[in-house]
């Protein structure tokens, strides 16, 4: 035992073992104050595969299923539907005001709709060339093409109304011309 006259002397005190508390063994996954060292990383031994630049394709994007493309075309379709409905109502007013055979006005409306479909396809093509290929961005919808188509169909509807005599007379009366 240590000398009692010197307070700084070492004293040994025995502590009885307590159940559940003890000195951690090597099998314990966590020991306080001891950092775990992982396995050293092994360098990559296999070489990168050789790629021939002639095999590179212009489209490096992954191929997507047809359902994905159709879902993209549907986004923004409410614009085209609204423009088509407006054009149809205006065409109906114009066709009924003619009080004649509806075959020629029906052909005119069908040709207007086919022109709108062609404009939609042209807008999508320009979007692919400019937005995706030149700017390198991903199109997530067809809202732009649908908006262009809706504006065209609204213009077609206004053109039908301008050819209806009583609508033009009513418009001039309202505006005071």
């Amino acid at each position: 035992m240590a000398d009692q006259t010197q307070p700084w002397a070492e004293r040994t005190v025995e502590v009885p073992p307590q159940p559940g508390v003890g000195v951690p063994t090597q099998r314990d996954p966590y020991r306080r104050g001891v950092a775990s060292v992982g396995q050293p990383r092994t360098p990559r031994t296999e070489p990168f595969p050789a790629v021939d630049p002639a095999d590179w394709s212009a489209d490096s994007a992954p191929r997507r299923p047809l359902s994905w493309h159709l879902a993209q075309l549907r986004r923004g379709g409410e614009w085209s539907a609204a423009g088509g409905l407006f054009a149809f109502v205006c065409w109906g007013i114009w066709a009924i005001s003619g009080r004649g055979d509806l075959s020629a006005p029906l052909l005119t409306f069908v040709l207007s709709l086919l022109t709108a479909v062609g404009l939609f396809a042209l807008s999508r093509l320009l979007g692919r060339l400019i937005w995706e290929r030149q700017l390198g961005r991903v199109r997530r919808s067809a809202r732009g093409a649908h908006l262009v188509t809706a504006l065209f169909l609204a213009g077609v509807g206004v053109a039908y109304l301008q050819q209806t005599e009583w609508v033009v007379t009513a418009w001039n009366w309202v505006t005071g011309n």
Side-chain angles (χ1 to χ4, degrees), residues 72-73 75-76 124 139-144:
Q72 300 307 313
L73 287 177
R75 290 186 183 159
R124 289 292 289 174
R139 289 186 298 179
R140 304 198 192 288
S141 68
R143 285 186 181 102

Side-chain angles (χ1 to χ4, degrees), residues 48-130:
F48 288 106
V51 177
D52 184 19
D55 291 341
W56 292 352
S57 64
D59 293 330
S60 61
R63 297 295 244 169
R64 303 203 177 182
L66 181 62
S67 61
W68 184 85
H69 289 287
L70 291 176
Q72 300 307 313
L73 287 177
R74 281 188 218 112
R75 290 186 183 159
E78 62 272 2
W79 290 102
S80 292
L85 181 65
F86 180 75
F88 177 72
V89 169
C90 294
W91 169 82
I93 292 171
W94 171 71
I96 292 172
S97 296
R99 294 187 187 145
D101 188 21
L102 288 180
S103 60
L106 183 63
L107 179 64
T108 304
F109 184 66
V110 169
L111 288 177
S112 298
L113 289 181
L114 288 175
T115 305
V117 169
L119 181 64
F120 178 79
L122 180 65
S123 299
R124 289 292 289 174
L125 177 67
L126 286 176
R128 180 175 175 87
L129 293 176
I130 295 171

Side-chain angles (χ1 to χ4, degrees), residues 31-57:
R31 291 189 311 180
R32 186 178 181 133
V34 177
S36 63
V37 179
Q39 295 287 334
R41 293 188 179 207
T42 58
R44 183 181 173 128
T45 57
E46 65 216 31
F48 288 106
V51 177
D52 184 19
D55 291 341
W56 292 352
S57 64

Side-chain angles (χ1 to χ4, degrees), residues 129-151:
L129 293 176
I130 295 171
W131 194 255
E132 288 183 350
R133 296 230 173 147
Q134 295 295 323
L135 298 177
R137 302 200 178 193
V138 177
R139 289 186 298 179
R140 304 198 192 288
S141 68
R143 285 186 181 102
H146 282 295
L147 185 61
V148 168
T149 305
L151 290 174

